[in-house]
Each structure stands twice: as C-alpha cells, then as structure tokens.
Amino acid sequence: MLTEAILTTAEREAVESVPTGLFIDGRTRETARTLPVLDPATGARLCEVADAGPEDGLAALDAAAAAQADWARTAPRARSEILMRAHRLLLDDTDRLALIATLEMGKPLAEARGEITYAAEFFRWFAEEAVRLDGGYMPAPGGGARFLVTRQPVGPSLLITPWNFPMAMGARKIGPALAAGCTSVIKPAEQTPLCTLALAQILHQAGVPAGVVNVVTTSDPGAVMTPLIHDPRSRKLSFTGSTAVGKKLLEQCARTVMRTSMELGGNAPFLVFDDADLDAAVEGALAAKMRNIGQACTAANRFFVQRGVLDEFAERLAARMGELPLGRGTEPGVVVGPLIDSDAVAKVTELVADARARGARVLLGGDPLDGPGHFYPATVLVDVPDEAQICHTEVFGPVASIASFDTEEEAVERANDTPYGLVSYVYTEGLRRGLRICEALDTGMVGLNQGVVSNPAAPFGGVKESGLGREGGLVGIDEFLEIKYIGVPL
C-alpha cells in the first residue's frame, strides 16, 4: 500500500497548483480512474492524476483535428507571439515548475531550474523560426512554366515524451509543432505527468487556442495511443524513448504511412586521448555522465581512455564523483538524486554485478543503498571487458565504465561497435586528430572537448538505431512541415 508523501508547505502548494485532470479542448476532463504520481526519493505518493482510457484519447484527437484548420491559418507572427509569451511565463515561474520536476522525477533542484530555462529556450527559438517559413520560385528548365514551392503544416501530431526531462522534452516537441501550425495530442510518461500538465497550463495562459494542445495522461499507453496512431487524421508522430518501443511504434505508423521522428536510445562513447587536457576531460566526463543522475540518452556510457593516461583519469574521475552529495533533490547541495524507480535500481545493480563478475575493478561505489527511495551511488568501474553487458546496454544510472585503448583506429572501431549512434564525446588537444575522430564516429552528434551537446539552436538526433529526424536547430521545424510544389504554366 502506498504511503502519502510528507511535503513542506511549498512542496504541497506546488503539487496542488497543477490541475490533475486531462487537458482536452482547452478544458480539464476528469476520468473515473486515476494513477498515482510518486516521489522517487521516498516511494511515497505525491498525488493522483487522471488515468485516460481509449475514449479519452479519441476525444483529444477529435479536438486537435477540429482545431487544425484554424491554427494552420493563424498568422505566423501570431503563433510566434504566443510562443514568446510562453517563454516568458516559463521563466517567470521557474521556482514552482522546478520544484514540481524535482518532486516527481527526482533530479536536484539546481538541475530542474536549468531544465526549465532549457525548455523556455525552445519556445523562444521556435517563436523566431515561426516567422521564417520560406519557400521557392523558379522557372521550369524547359521554359513555359514556373515552379512554386511552399511548406505547410503536416497536421495533427502525436507527441510522446519521456520521464527524464519531462518539461524540456515537452517544449522541444510542442514548440516546433505550434510554430509550424500543427495541433497536437501529448502523452507524457506515466511517472512524470505533472510537468506536462503544468506546461499545458502555461500554454493556455499564453493564448494557445482550445484544441491546439491536448494532454492525455494514462497508465495504459498502448490502449490509448494505438487507436490514435491508426487514425488517418493523425499525420505525425514524434517519440522520445527506448529503441525497443520506437521500433514497435514505427510498425504501427506504417499502417497509415504516418510521418515520424524518433529520438531513441544511446550508448555514448567517451574517448580520452593521451594528449587531452585531463582537467577538462574529467570535468567533461562528470557532466556527460552525471547530468540527470546519468538518466539521459546523451549520457556517456562507455569510457575509452588511452592506456598512458587511464590510471590518472580514472582516479581523478572517481575522486570527483565521490565528492558529489547524494540525497533527495530538494535538499540543499544535493547533486545526485534518486533513480526514477525500483526497476532502474535493479537494472543498474545487475549491470555492475555482471561487469564485476567478468573482471572489472571497482574504484568507487558498486553496491545499491539501503533505505527508502530509489538511490544508487556514483560508481566507477575500470578494466571493463567489451563482453560485459554494461558495454552494450544504455545504463541510465550514475555508473562510469572505463576501458583502455592503444591506437586511434582501435578507439574508433570500439566506439562504433554498437547498433546505437546518438552522441559521442572526444577529448584531445590535437586539432587534426579531433577532426579525424569526429568524422569517423557513427553518431548524429559529437562533443569535441565538451561534455554537453544539447542546445535548442543545434540539431539534436542520432543515426542507426538511435532514431530518425532531428529536433531543434534550423531543421527542427521541418519535421512538422510538408513541402508542396505548385506548377504554373505561362
């Protein structure tokens, strides 16, 4: 039986400030069933939110489809100004929204505040892009006609967001959809519905018309979303989550040849060469590994360090990770919060145990913690063999897995030895070497001498089984636009 969370007044007020019904056609819609929202630091219940069924999902799509034509006709400048208001409202409400994110997801408050700023920047970026939707005009090569090229909104869009960055991932999908002139139905992760409901509240305040943005929270996403995916009125699916689920969704989308973009799993390599600035490499590794408690698709999973600097790098990284305070994200100074749930702890525990059984040495941590909540300590493993499960699985936890290499060729070959290709990190002071390695790595993004690559102004996405399409940057809005060619005879 779930226990009720013991909250401070500010925490209780933050939770109670979020409407807990579905958000459909500009109004709150209650359901007969509810689902609990839990605090991962204690396992206790924060509140209950509406638990949608298939009929609620169809009602949300009905609203989005009905609002599509009017929203598509809305002037780009008007759409831009709504997004700019949403940007300002998010920033003005940072403290409340960050507290909500910390309570339901677990990340430290400082990181949650950073996420709100990051989310707001997507609204500002796509507000600026909304008024820059261009086209083309050219004479036919054979003469006698002109070609006009225009871009139009793809139509009602289904947006499925993850629990690890619930506010930012919502903004990263909603922002370009609104800017392009698309309505949407958003299905947030079951673990973190409050952030998305709060985001819908902000967008409503900013002036988004009824039906343009709809939110469906559910404990049964298959039953709710599958009919929407199969409905011909849905013309776009944007999903962030695991590769396994992404593959199933792609199969479902094939039924109506629905436009898709997929930001899927990662298995990021982090390469440190013997000419690297080790101070910078250690700090970059800390950022790439420990951001969001390691629960990020961009998190460094596999550290490959050139043999001559391996011992020093590993010892310095272990020392820095060992300094990071662990606890509930609302506590002052905490840097490492809880994992999202007990399954996450069990997975990390199993991966570390397997690596140790195969010969890996533990420099730091290595064992789950007793007590309430879903905590796992910062852990550093060295001499991890390539056959260890941790080398082939997205860890999603605060574990750094380190192995050595001797040559550039070996480093690149081992880094690319994965079906994933989201992001990689390279530390070297050699310009030519850096460019060679970056071009040889099979990933959609590379951090060269930096441990964080995410930025609303940059195209985010991967290759191979890490996904399709890009979010953010100049191309992010293209995912929600169709190109139309008009031939005009003279």
Side-chain angles (χ1 to χ4, degrees), residues 57 59 72 95 103 105 126 141-142 156 159 162 197 223 251 253 285 314 326 340 368 379 408 412 427 446 469 480 487:
D95 289 342
L103 289 172
M105 187 267 146
F126 286 110
L159 314 178
L197 291 168
E251 291 177 358
C253 289
L326 181 146
I340 190 64
T379 295
E408 283 186 25
V412 170
Y427 273 79
V446 183
F480 292 88

Tab-separated table of all heavy atoms in Angstrom, residues 57 59 72 95 103 105 126 141-142 156 159 162 197 223 251 253 285 314 326 340 368 379 408 412 427 446 469 480 487:
chain	number	residue	atom	x	y	z
A	57	GLY	N	-8.535	9.397	-25.297
A	57	GLY	CA	-7.561	9.667	-26.349
A	57	GLY	C	-8.236	10.119	-27.629
A	57	GLY	O	-7.790	11.078	-28.289
A	59	ALA	N	-11.134	11.566	-27.862
A	59	ALA	CA	-11.669	12.913	-27.639
A	59	ALA	C	-10.577	13.963	-27.838
A	59	ALA	O	-10.823	15.042	-28.397
A	59	ALA	CB	-12.256	13.020	-26.237
A	72	ALA	N	-3.700	26.359	-38.474
A	72	ALA	CA	-2.831	26.453	-39.656
A	72	ALA	C	-2.988	27.802	-40.348
A	72	ALA	O	-2.027	28.323	-40.932
A	72	ALA	CB	-3.147	25.315	-40.628
A	95	ASP	N	10.716	28.717	-10.306
A	95	ASP	CA	10.823	28.064	-8.999
A	95	ASP	C	9.729	27.022	-8.792
A	95	ASP	O	9.998	25.905	-8.331
A	95	ASP	CB	10.783	29.105	-7.885
A	95	ASP	CG	12.056	29.941	-7.815
A	95	ASP	OD1	13.074	29.506	-8.385
A	95	ASP	OD2	12.029	31.016	-7.194
A	103	LEU	N	10.175	16.939	-7.549
A	103	LEU	CA	9.338	16.064	-6.740
A	103	LEU	C	8.918	14.812	-7.498
A	103	LEU	O	8.923	13.710	-6.933
A	103	LEU	CB	8.101	16.824	-6.258
A	103	LEU	CG	8.362	17.898	-5.198
A	103	LEU	CD1	7.099	18.719	-4.950
A	103	LEU	CD2	8.854	17.272	-3.898
A	105	MET	N	10.284	13.614	-10.502
A	105	MET	CA	11.329	12.938	-11.264
A	105	MET	C	12.569	12.652	-10.428
A	105	MET	O	13.270	11.677	-10.659
A	105	MET	CB	11.686	13.786	-12.498
A	105	MET	CG	12.638	13.135	-13.476
A	105	MET	SD	14.342	13.603	-13.095
A	105	MET	CE	15.202	12.114	-13.548
A	126	PHE	N	11.749	28.579	-31.418
A	126	PHE	CA	10.751	28.288	-32.449
A	126	PHE	C	9.787	29.448	-32.659
A	126	PHE	O	9.161	29.539	-33.723
A	126	PHE	CB	10.032	26.975	-32.144
A	126	PHE	CG	10.910	25.780	-32.428
A	126	PHE	CD1	11.416	24.998	-31.406
A	126	PHE	CD2	11.255	25.472	-33.734
A	126	PHE	CE1	12.244	23.929	-31.678
A	126	PHE	CE2	12.081	24.398	-34.023
A	126	PHE	CZ	12.577	23.620	-32.987
A	141	PRO	N	13.030	24.380	-66.167
A	141	PRO	CA	14.225	24.293	-67.017
A	141	PRO	C	13.909	24.346	-68.502
A	141	PRO	O	14.679	24.896	-69.299
A	141	PRO	CB	14.832	22.939	-66.617
A	141	PRO	CG	14.367	22.717	-65.220
A	141	PRO	CD	13.001	23.309	-65.151
A	142	GLY	N	12.752	23.799	-68.912
A	142	GLY	CA	12.405	23.805	-70.329
A	142	GLY	C	11.626	25.023	-70.761
A	142	GLY	O	11.238	25.132	-71.927
A	156	PRO	N	-2.430	17.284	-37.493
A	156	PRO	CA	-2.485	16.849	-36.097
A	156	PRO	C	-1.343	15.889	-35.762
A	156	PRO	O	-1.102	14.917	-36.486
A	156	PRO	CB	-3.849	16.156	-36.002
A	156	PRO	CG	-4.686	16.854	-37.040
A	156	PRO	CD	-3.742	17.130	-38.174
A	159	LEU	N	2.514	13.441	-29.829
A	159	LEU	CA	3.799	13.697	-29.189
A	159	LEU	C	3.908	12.834	-27.936
A	159	LEU	O	3.085	12.956	-27.020
A	159	LEU	CB	3.932	15.180	-28.826
A	159	LEU	CG	3.528	16.199	-29.904
A	159	LEU	CD1	3.659	17.615	-29.369
A	159	LEU	CD2	4.350	16.009	-31.165
A	162	PRO	N	9.302	11.487	-22.665
A	162	PRO	CA	9.862	10.613	-21.632
A	162	PRO	C	9.809	11.272	-20.253
A	162	PRO	O	9.464	12.446	-20.106
A	162	PRO	CB	11.307	10.449	-22.097
A	162	PRO	CG	11.633	11.788	-22.690
A	162	PRO	CD	10.361	12.271	-23.347
A	197	LEU	N	1.265	18.564	-17.624
A	197	LEU	CA	0.017	19.252	-17.300
A	197	LEU	C	0.285	20.708	-16.931
A	197	LEU	O	-0.480	21.606	-17.307
A	197	LEU	CB	-0.699	18.522	-16.166
A	197	LEU	CG	-1.267	17.139	-16.536
A	197	LEU	CD1	-1.694	16.389	-15.281
A	197	LEU	CD2	-2.441	17.275	-17.503
A	223	ALA	N	-3.220	1.031	-25.169
A	223	ALA	CA	-4.654	1.076	-25.437
A	223	ALA	C	-5.101	2.462	-25.863
A	223	ALA	O	-6.014	2.607	-26.687
A	223	ALA	CB	-5.431	0.634	-24.196
A	251	GLU	N	6.332	0.369	-36.644
A	251	GLU	CA	5.490	-0.637	-37.284
A	251	GLU	C	4.033	-0.174	-37.326
A	251	GLU	O	3.340	-0.335	-38.337
A	251	GLU	CB	5.595	-1.965	-36.537
A	251	GLU	CG	6.956	-2.654	-36.666
A	251	GLU	CD	7.023	-3.938	-35.853
A	251	GLU	OE1	6.022	-4.255	-35.168
A	251	GLU	OE2	8.067	-4.608	-35.893
A	253	CYS	N	2.963	2.933	-37.246
A	253	CYS	CA	2.835	4.100	-38.128
A	253	CYS	C	2.812	3.709	-39.598
A	253	CYS	O	2.299	4.464	-40.438
A	253	CYS	CB	3.982	5.076	-37.865
A	253	CYS	SG	3.873	5.929	-36.276
A	285	ALA	N	33.696	14.648	-18.441
A	285	ALA	CA	33.160	13.323	-18.117
A	285	ALA	C	32.117	13.414	-17.015
A	285	ALA	O	31.084	12.727	-17.045
A	285	ALA	CB	34.294	12.393	-17.697
A	314	ALA	N	41.070	7.764	-14.443
A	314	ALA	CA	40.103	7.002	-13.647
A	314	ALA	C	40.125	7.430	-12.187
A	314	ALA	O	39.077	7.600	-11.557
A	314	ALA	CB	40.398	5.511	-13.769
A	326	LEU	N	24.732	13.018	-2.237
A	326	LEU	CA	23.589	12.233	-2.678
A	326	LEU	C	22.430	12.448	-1.720
A	326	LEU	O	22.618	12.493	-0.501
A	326	LEU	CB	23.973	10.761	-2.762
A	326	LEU	CG	22.916	9.752	-3.230
A	326	LEU	CD1	23.571	8.625	-4.016
A	326	LEU	CD2	22.149	9.161	-2.043
A	340	ILE	N	14.702	6.792	-11.089
A	340	ILE	CA	13.273	7.030	-11.248
A	340	ILE	C	12.419	6.011	-10.504
A	340	ILE	O	11.361	6.360	-9.973
A	340	ILE	CB	12.882	7.087	-12.746
A	340	ILE	CG1	11.439	7.567	-12.919
A	340	ILE	CG2	13.109	5.739	-13.405
A	340	ILE	CD1	11.185	8.980	-12.460
A	368	PRO	N	24.102	-1.152	-4.310
A	368	PRO	CA	22.901	-0.336	-4.061
A	368	PRO	C	22.835	0.063	-2.589
A	368	PRO	O	23.428	-0.584	-1.723
A	368	PRO	CB	21.757	-1.263	-4.454
A	368	PRO	CG	22.326	-2.651	-4.336
A	368	PRO	CD	23.775	-2.539	-4.690
A	379	THR	N	29.341	5.470	-9.195
A	379	THR	CA	30.172	4.271	-9.294
A	379	THR	C	31.143	4.402	-10.456
A	379	THR	O	30.768	4.881	-11.529
A	379	THR	CB	29.274	3.020	-9.486
A	379	THR	OG1	28.474	2.843	-8.315
A	379	THR	CG2	30.097	1.767	-9.732
A	408	GLU	N	44.313	5.158	-32.376
A	408	GLU	CA	43.116	5.841	-32.865
A	408	GLU	C	42.158	4.859	-33.532
A	408	GLU	O	40.946	4.899	-33.307
A	408	GLU	CB	43.491	6.914	-33.892
A	408	GLU	CG	44.063	8.182	-33.336
A	408	GLU	CD	44.262	9.217	-34.442
A	408	GLU	OE1	43.553	9.132	-35.473
A	408	GLU	OE2	45.119	10.099	-34.270
A	412	VAL	N	38.199	4.187	-32.434
A	412	VAL	CA	37.059	4.422	-33.310
A	412	VAL	C	36.283	3.126	-33.544
A	412	VAL	O	35.044	3.107	-33.502
A	412	VAL	CB	37.519	5.038	-34.643
A	412	VAL	CG1	36.374	5.055	-35.650
A	412	VAL	CG2	38.042	6.449	-34.415
A	427	TYR	N	38.006	13.821	-26.362
A	427	TYR	CA	38.912	14.781	-25.725
A	427	TYR	C	40.322	14.570	-26.256
A	427	TYR	O	40.917	13.508	-26.100
A	427	TYR	CB	38.879	14.632	-24.199
A	427	TYR	CG	37.773	15.471	-23.598
A	427	TYR	CD1	36.464	15.009	-23.635
A	427	TYR	CD2	38.022	16.725	-23.070
A	427	TYR	CE1	35.425	15.778	-23.121
A	427	TYR	CE2	36.999	17.509	-22.560
A	427	TYR	CZ	35.704	17.030	-22.594
A	427	TYR	OH	34.689	17.804	-22.099
A	446	VAL	N	28.503	14.980	-31.885
A	446	VAL	CA	29.802	14.754	-31.245
A	446	VAL	C	30.135	15.968	-30.392
A	446	VAL	O	30.028	17.110	-30.852
A	446	VAL	CB	30.928	14.528	-32.276
A	446	VAL	CG1	32.249	14.234	-31.555
A	446	VAL	CG2	30.586	13.389	-33.227
A	469	GLY	N	15.284	11.651	-37.864
A	469	GLY	CA	14.931	13.057	-37.794
A	469	GLY	C	15.767	13.814	-36.781
A	469	GLY	O	16.635	13.257	-36.112
A	480	PHE	N	7.733	19.088	-38.863
A	480	PHE	CA	6.293	19.326	-38.763
A	480	PHE	C	5.740	20.036	-39.996
A	480	PHE	O	4.634	20.577	-39.958
A	480	PHE	CB	5.984	20.138	-37.506
A	480	PHE	CG	6.245	19.372	-36.240
A	480	PHE	CD1	7.500	19.390	-35.649
A	480	PHE	CD2	5.250	18.605	-35.657
A	480	PHE	CE1	7.755	18.671	-34.488
A	480	PHE	CE2	5.491	17.880	-34.505
A	480	PHE	CZ	6.749	17.911	-33.916
A	487	GLY	N	2.840	23.877	-59.857
A	487	GLY	CA	3.285	24.202	-61.214
A	487	GLY	C	2.335	25.184	-61.858
A	487	GLY	O	1.118	24.994	-61.848
